[in-house]
């Protein structure tokens, strides 16, 4: 269960190798080892037992289908969490999402006295966590209760390693400050009227918890109060753990192995794609609305805009012709289509209905002015009638601005060498790029301009002299790229 020591790296490596070999018995061991942790994590994101069960089933299926992609089998456990998060984000975005049925809490067989103490500690934990934002709470949950290291959390969130390190560190600092403020409010509220006013009910709301942290940081009375040390792992160990359904095991294993469900497994596995160069799923991206859903809503405004444009063109043609007509509106260009040689009396100036061969007024309107010219010299009417026709389409024929590109960054493995090379590629447009930072014992630099599809290489060197065990770091490339580098 979450909050208890998880499987070691050796188990991850062994189970990953067994899954790659197609061992059905290994799949059963994978479920027994990881499923309780993953179900609790999925339930925390979805807050519904039906959705959490469906998410866990898809995670096991996707992991079995894609395990060959994972380049670091000893990180199988963190990789499972990355698949689980992407699946949960996809389900949260679904309009058909099931809601309203939270899972029961796992039974710990505690005495009434122990239950009372746990409930008191839970109020404290919930009040302290309320001061953190959603990303911080999830990072704390993954690193403390589920015991993932920063490299695993980096893969779960799909963000650069240095950003992950900063996120986890800031979350721990904010949690410590919020916990101290909650302890002061719980034990020393009588010493400060402001604290007493803020904490009339428990657990504290996010707004109240944030206000309490700000107050304690600036209050001289609260500053001198002593609070007992309470590590985050002890604090979060009292939080509820979602009980995994007993009958879910057979359902998941059947769905993952039955021969008649092979097509369904392929469809489920496709939802986890795409993957990065290390075989970790990229973060979930919401899909754009379907074209057929947009069509009926946009058709009315579009037809209206076309009608207005046509009306403006026709009015411009008529106005220009009238202004350049010396006879005050009896010029042939002011009349409708006529037979050549006709005098074009005012009574005949009404525009007739277009014939089937005339698809629109904007096509047929210039033709009469050309056929009515009585002299060899070009008439002002013919010139004027062309001007609106050539200007009107200009707003729609404007050349589109080039789209900015994005960076695709490929990491590298250094091993025991002193350097390796990462590759940056411009995708979808030109990109101005530069190396913005590194993490771990690595150094790198470079930058420049890439045309669409063009690539460049960056040499990454390690700064340590002697290797002790395998290590990981990253190289951040602006804008928005990060390459993972393993060395030693």
């Amino acid at each position: 269960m979450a909050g208890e020591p998880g499987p070691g790296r050796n188990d991850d490596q062994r189970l990953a190798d067994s899954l790659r070999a197609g061992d059905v018995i290994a799949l059963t061991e994978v479920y027994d080892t990881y499923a309780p942790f993953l179900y609790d994590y999925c339930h925390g994101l979805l807050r519904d037992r039906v959705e959490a069960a469906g998410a866990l089933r898809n995670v096991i299926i996707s992991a079995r289908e894609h395990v060959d992609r994972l380049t670091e089998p000893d990180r199988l456990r963190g990789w499972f969490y990355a698949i689980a998060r992407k699946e949960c984000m996809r389900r949260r975005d679904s309009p058909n999402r099931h809601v309203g049925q939270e899972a029961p809490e796992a039974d710990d067989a505690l005495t009434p006295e122990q239950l009372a103490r746990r409930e008191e500690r839970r109020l404290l934990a919930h009040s302290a966590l309320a001061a953190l934002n959603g990303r911080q709470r999830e990072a704390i949950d993954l690193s403390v209760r589920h015991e993932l290291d920063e490299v695993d959390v980096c893969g779960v969130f799909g963000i650069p390693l240095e950003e992950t390190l900063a996120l986890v560190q800031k979350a721990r600092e904010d949690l410590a400050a919020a916990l101290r403020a909650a302890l002061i409010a719980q034990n020393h509220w009588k010493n400060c009227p402001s604290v007493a006013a803020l904490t009339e009910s428990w657990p504290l709301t996010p707004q109240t918890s944030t206000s309490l942290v700000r107050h304690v940081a600036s209050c001289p009375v609260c500053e001198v109060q002593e609070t007992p040390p309470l590590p985050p792992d002890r604090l979060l160990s009292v939080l509820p753990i979602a009980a995994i359904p007993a009958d879910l095991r057979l359902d998941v294993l059947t769905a993952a192995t039955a021969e008649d469900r092979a097509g369904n497994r392929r469809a489920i596995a496709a939802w986890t794609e795409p993957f990065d160069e290390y075989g970790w799923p990229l973060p979930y991206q919401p899909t754009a609305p379907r074209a057929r859903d947009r069509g009926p809503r946009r058709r009315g405004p579009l037809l209206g805009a076309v009608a207005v444009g046509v009306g403006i063109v026709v009015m411009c043609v008529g106005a220009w012709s009238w202004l350049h007509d010396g006879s005050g509106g009896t010029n042939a260009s002011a009349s409708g289509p006529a037979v050549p040689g006709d005098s074009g009396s005012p009574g005949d100036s009404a525009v007739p209905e277009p014939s089937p061969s005339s698809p629109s007024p904007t096509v047929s309107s210039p033709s009469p002015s050309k056929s009515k010219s009585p002299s060899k010299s070009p008439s002002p009417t013919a010139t004027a009638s062309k001007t609106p026709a050539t200007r009107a389409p200009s707003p729609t024929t404007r050349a589109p601005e080039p789209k900015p590109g994005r960076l695709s960054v490929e990491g590298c493995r250094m091993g025991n060498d002193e350097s390796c090379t990462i590759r940056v590629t411009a995708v979808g447009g030109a990109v101005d790029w530069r190396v913005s930072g590194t993490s771990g014992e690595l150094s790198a630099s470079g930058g420049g301009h890439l045309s669409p599809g063009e690539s460049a290489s960056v040499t990454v060197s390690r700064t340590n002299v002697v290797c002790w065990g395998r290590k990981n770091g990253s190289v951040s490339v602006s804008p928005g790229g990060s390459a993972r580098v393993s060395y030693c």
Side-chain angles (χ1 to χ4, degrees):
M1 292 183 180
E4 298 176 357
R9 297 292 181 192
N10 292 335
D11 290 332
D12 286 350
Q13 176 81 50
R14 177 179 59 82
L15 291 174
D17 292 341
S18 299
L19 280 179
R20 286 174 173 172
D23 189 351
V24 177
I25 298 178
L27 186 65
T28 302
E29 188 177 357
V30 164
Y31 182 91
D32 295 338
T33 303
Y34 302 115
F37 294 89
L38 294 170
Y39 181 81
D40 178 68
Y41 175 64
C42 292
H43 185 269
L45 293 175
L46 298 170
R47 310 309 303 179
D48 184 88
R49 62 184 182 183
V50 176
E51 290 291 339
L56 176 62
R57 180 183 62 250
N58 289 359
V59 168
I60 299 297
I61 291 174
S62 296
R64 193 186 185 203
E65 297 289 322
H66 293 300
V67 68
D68 289 336
R69 297 175 180 263
L70 184 61
T71 61
E72 298 173 306
D74 59 339
R75 293 199 172 274
L76 179 66
R77 184 166 176 264
W79 185 68
F80 268 110
Y81 279 87
I83 297 176
R85 188 176 198 276
K86 188 169 189 177
E87 173 65 17
C88 290
M89 294 300 105
R90 185 188 69 82
R91 286 175 173 269
R92 284 170 57 166
D93 197 38
S94 172
N96 300 321
R97 172 185 171 190
H98 191 277
V99 293
Q101 293 187 12
E102 292 195 17
E105 182 179 351
D107 186 14
D108 291 331
L110 300 180
T111 65
E113 293 78 9
Q114 291 173 328
L115 289 173
R117 286 197 299 269
R118 187 181 69 177
E119 186 62 28
E120 181 180 357
R121 191 67 61 85
R122 278 184 181 177
L123 292 176
L124 188 67
H126 285 302
S127 298
L129 289 170
L132 277 59
N133 60 41
R135 177 62 66 91
Q136 287 180 317
R137 286 195 296 270
E138 189 176 354
I140 284 289
D141 186 57
L142 288 170
S143 61
V144 176
R145 297 178 73 229
H146 296 273
E147 299 181 346
L148 300 185
D149 62 20
E150 283 80 0
V151 176
D152 284 339
V153 176
C154 161
V156 172
F157 283 133
I159 59 178
L161 182 58
E162 63 273 15
E163 185 177 338
T164 304
L165 294 171
L167 170 65
V168 174
Q169 179 64 26
K170 185 66 164 59
R172 288 179 177 271
E173 293 173 356
D174 289 352
L175 179 61
L179 176 58
R180 184 175 185 275
L183 286 169
I184 290 175
Q186 189 179 64
N187 301 323
H188 305 285
W189 59 273
K190 294 181 180 180
N191 298 334
C192 181
S194 297
V195 171
L198 282 172
T199 58
E200 293 181 350
S201 61
W202 288 77
L204 304 180
T205 64
Q207 181 179 2
T208 302
S209 183
T210 303
S211 301
L212 179 63
V213 172
R214 287 199 300 262
H215 169 78
V216 169
S218 59
C219 177
V221 175
C222 297
E223 183 180 4
V224 299
Q225 303 296 334
E226 295 184 359
T227 56
L230 188 58
D233 55 344
R234 286 183 56 194
L235 173 70
L236 302 184
S237 65
V238 301
L239 294 179
I241 299 172
I244 186 170
D247 57 350
L248 184 58
R249 185 174 186 268
L250 178 60
D251 176 45
V252 171
L253 296 178
T254 301
T257 58
E259 294 183 0
D260 59 344
R261 299 194 187 182
N264 189 40
R265 287 194 292 270
R266 286 191 294 269
I268 292 173
W271 292 335
T272 311
E273 297 174 349
F275 292 79
D276 66 12
E277 66 272 20
Y278 291 92
W280 287 67
L282 297 178
Y284 170 75
Q285 297 293 335
T287 56
R290 292 174 296 180
R292 66 181 183 183
D293 293 336
R294 293 196 304 265
R297 293 192 297 269
R298 296 176 59 87
R299 187 175 301 162
L302 180 61
L303 293 178
V306 170
V308 171
V310 170
I312 292 176
V313 171
V314 173
M315 291 177 62
C316 289
V317 172
W320 192 286
S321 302
W322 185 84
L323 289 173
H324 288 75
D325 185 8
S327 60
T330 59
N331 189 278
S333 63
S335 65
V339 180
D342 187 8
S343 61
S345 63
D348 299 330
S349 63
V351 179
E353 294 182 1
S355 64
S357 61
S358 303
S360 67
T362 56
V363 175
S364 59
S365 57
S367 57
S369 60
K370 291 182 180 179
S371 62
K372 291 286 290 182
S373 177
S375 63
K376 295 182 180 180
S377 60
S379 67
T381 305
T383 304
S385 63
K386 293 180 183 179
T387 304
T390 56
R391 288 182 181 177
S394 59
T396 59
T397 57
R398 185 183 305 167
E401 297 182 359
K403 296 181 179 179
R406 60 179 180 85
L407 280 181
S408 172
V409 186
E410 300 178 7
C412 62
R413 289 185 172 187
M414 196 177 302
N416 291 322
D417 297 333
E418 295 184 355
S419 65
C420 65
T421 302
I422 66 173
R423 191 173 184 84
V424 296
T425 305
V427 179
V431 179
D432 293 320
W433 67 279
R434 65 180 180 86
V435 175
S436 56
T438 61
S439 67
E441 300 168 318
L442 301 174
S443 64
S445 62
H449 177 81
L450 294 176
S451 300
E454 187 179 3
S455 300
S457 300
V458 177
T459 300
V460 185
S461 304
R462 58 183 175 91
T463 58
N464 64 332
V465 179
V466 181
C467 280
W468 296 98
R470 187 169 59 179
K471 301 180 180 180
N472 293 280
S474 68
V475 177
S476 297
V477 184
S478 176
S482 179
R484 186 182 299 180
V485 179
S486 61
Y487 56 102
C488 292

